[in-house]
Amino acid sequence: MKKIFLILSLVLFNLNQAKTISDSLSIPDDLSEILFNECDACGCAAGNGSSGFESLLNPQFIGVKYFAQHYKAKENLFVNDLTQDQYFNTIQLWAKIPLSQRLSVYASLPFHFHEKKTLQGDININGIGDFNLMGIYKLINSKDNKHELNGGVGVKVPLGKFDEKGISGVNPSFQLGTGSWDYQAVLNYRFQKNKVAVLLNTDYTIKTENKKHYQFGNQWNYSATGFYQIVGTEKMILSAKAGLQGEVYDRNRQYKEDLPKTAGSALYGKLGFEASYKKVSLGTELMLPTYTNLAGGDIEAKSRFSVFINFGI
């Protein structure tokens, strides 16, 4: 499966070099892909993580998204096997609203319901997460609309509850929020030609110390996604997408001291589809790890799945 993801993503990246296709992908001029990730290292809904929106359709919208993640973790320090299943689930309201021809504002408010299965029984937490707010500015948009470059800066407001007891487990990211004000910068580039589009994205999140003197590690995300139009009419568009997405996490800190086995990285392959009818768009995506090294090997990424519905404005 991992080899399939790699092959498909490479194929989509090179489709723009194949024979010319007469139809157009019909991507709006003000397309902007911002990977505003809703979860921290190891699935934590406490901050910004992976699988944000990559909508080619209705780039100005209000919508709802469901995002699910599955991880395996060590039950305790005295076992080598990864036996503990951890499930992170998020339903979020999100919107991207234009303020001018070049400037837009993005916002999201998540609700989390997480579960981990332990030898002592299941542990569940649920509640509102941290609020994200970002300004997005169109830096470059070529006259032929083939190239577009967007940049943005944002802040995460600590509305989600941070439980100090939760940091004592294998995965300290089993939280509803970081309890801290965090800051993000993002840059994304889009190339479009006929039925093919390629989106490249990178973002970096700076996380600060919370009131409990705990600080989650800074996070760098990057992704490359190819889109190909399968069906295109005046009212309806159906596109497939495939690509790669990576995440790198710095060590967490407590009382200014680095904590062992809290840094890590992961690389995912992803496949998905997106369809639109008039001003309504629906999308889904499946992600599987091609590489995972989280918490010194104590946590393994298994899968991610998302589905969203957006209403154009």
Side-chain angles (χ1 to χ4, degrees):
M1 180 64 72
K2 296 178 182 179
K3 292 182 179 179
I4 292 175
F5 274 118
L6 289 170
I7 293 171
L8 284 173
S9 60
L10 288 173
V11 169
L12 279 172
F13 265 88
N14 288 282
L15 274 172
N16 61 301
Q17 298 177 356
K19 62 181 182 179
T20 302
I21 303 171
S22 58
D23 295 333
S24 171
L25 186 57
S26 301
I27 302 174
D29 290 343
D30 55 350
L31 162 70
S32 178
E33 179 213 19
I34 303 294
L35 283 178
F36 220 116
N37 308 300
E38 298 311 321
C39 297
D40 258 308
C42 314
C44 168
N48 304 324
S50 64
S51 188
F53 68 83
E54 303 174 323
S55 178
L56 286 175
L57 314 171
N58 294 338
Q60 318 294 346
F61 65 88
I62 296 175
V64 180
K65 178 181 179 180
Y66 169 71
F67 182 37
Q69 303 177 81
H70 178 206
Y71 295 84
K72 281 278 191 180
K74 281 189 177 182
E75 187 74 16
N76 56 61
L77 297 177
F78 305 102
V79 298
N80 292 322
D81 296 334
L82 304 177
T83 58
Q84 185 184 97
D85 287 294
Q86 299 185 351
Y87 300 94
F88 295 79
N89 300 278
T90 299
I91 295 177
Q92 75 171 18
L93 300 175
W94 61 356
K96 182 166 175 284
I97 301 171
L99 300 181
S100 67
Q101 197 169 31
R102 286 183 173 267
L103 181 64
S104 299
V105 62
Y106 167 80
S108 70
L109 181 64
F111 182 87
H112 305 299
F113 47 106
H114 305 329
E115 177 185 19
K116 61 181 177 181
K117 298 182 178 295
T118 72
L119 294 175
Q120 293 75 34
D122 296 350
I123 298 176
N124 296 274
I125 59 173
N126 60 78
I128 193 171
D130 293 336
F131 175 68
N132 288 294
L133 184 66
M134 172 172 278
I136 305 165
Y137 189 78
K138 187 182 298 183
L139 301 170
I140 298 174
N141 188 25
S142 63
K143 292 182 179 180
D144 57 6
N145 199 37
K146 288 184 179 180
H147 305 278
E148 183 176 310
L149 181 66
N150 296 276
V153 291
V155 62
K156 182 180 64 60
V157 183
L159 299 183
K161 179 182 177 181
F162 172 79
D163 185 1
E164 194 173 8
K165 296 179 180 178
I167 63 177
S168 61
V170 175
N171 187 355
S173 293
F174 192 77
Q175 303 280 349
L176 297 176
T178 60
S180 62
W181 289 79
D182 301 334
Y183 306 95
Q184 186 179 51
V186 63
L187 193 67
N188 72 76
Y189 167 76
R190 180 262 297 172
F191 171 80
Q192 174 209 343
K193 185 176 181 181
N194 301 322
K195 291 188 176 183
V196 176
V198 174
L199 301 179
L200 305 177
N201 189 92
T202 183
D203 63 75
Y204 192 80
T205 302
I206 298 174
K207 301 173 186 178
T208 65
E209 185 179 78
N210 61 28
K211 293 181 180 180
K212 300 295 183 179
H213 304 287
Y214 196 88
Q215 181 178 351
F216 288 94
N218 293 345
Q219 180 175 339
W220 174 46
N221 300 321
Y222 58 93
S223 70
T225 308
F227 289 77
Y228 183 76
Q229 185 191 93
I230 300 172
V231 177
T233 66
E234 290 185 1
K235 294 184 178 181
M236 180 178 178
I237 296 175
L238 174 63
S239 298
K241 61 180 178 179
L244 295 172
Q245 182 165 305
E247 302 163 5
V248 180
Y249 310 100
D250 201 356
R251 285 185 177 182
N252 297 350
R253 308 185 74 193
Q254 190 171 25
Y255 292 100
K256 310 294 184 182
E257 297 291 334
D258 289 347
L259 298 176
K261 290 193 172 184
T262 53
S265 60
L267 180 66
Y268 295 84
K270 56 184 179 179
L271 283 173
F273 294 91
E274 185 171 334
S276 73
Y277 180 75
K278 295 183 177 179
K279 288 192 174 184
V280 179
S281 62
L282 178 69
T284 184
E285 184 175 85
L286 173 66
M287 299 175 63
L288 294 176
T290 61
Y291 167 80
T292 173
N293 180 25
L294 301 171
D298 287 351
I299 299 174
E300 180 183 358
K302 301 300 291 184
S303 64
R304 292 176 176 177
F305 173 77
S306 65
V307 60
F308 69 82
I309 182 169
N310 290 339
F311 301 91
I313 55 177

